[in-house]
Amino acid sequence: GYDRSSDSLSAAEITEGTGAVSACGVTFRRAYTSTPSCVVSWQTRGVSPTGYSVSTAGIQVQQASTPNIASAKWNYVCYGNQ
């Protein structure tokens, strides 16, 4: 993966918890000075992503609530000024 402490690039693989999950959030280690450009991709089959929102502080992903999504995974890459 990429070094999340870099000046402009942030990336990670996220593993959600268990249960019926409809949203998951990530807070950046360092906030961006303006909203970064981000791409989010889902790795887990059966998860129905409905979108995501990005702020200077983090990412919030939304998905159709699915019973017991044990350890669903998704990735993000963001670029901007921190």
Side-chain angles (χ1 to χ4, degrees):
Y2 293 101
D3 179 0
R4 283 180 236 126
S5 65
S6 73
D7 288 340
S8 59
L9 186 63
S10 180
E13 176 180 281
I14 307 301
T15 303
E16 298 179 7
T18 59
V21 178
S22 62
C24 181
V26 171
T27 301
F28 298 130
R29 187 168 120 182
R30 268 190 357 210
Y32 284 84
T33 56
S34 59
T35 304
S37 296
C38 297
V39 174
V40 174
S41 61
W42 279 259
Q43 293 184 30
T44 304
R45 289 180 156 212
V47 175
S48 300
T50 58
Y52 62 94
S53 57
V54 180
S55 71
T56 57
I59 299 174
Q60 180 78 18
V61 297
Q62 297 84 34
Q63 60 203 30
S65 182
T66 304
N68 202 16
I69 278 184
S71 303
K73 291 186 179 186
W74 53 277
N75 300 72
Y76 74 86
V77 176
C78 295
Y79 184 79
N81 295 317
Q82 287 183 306

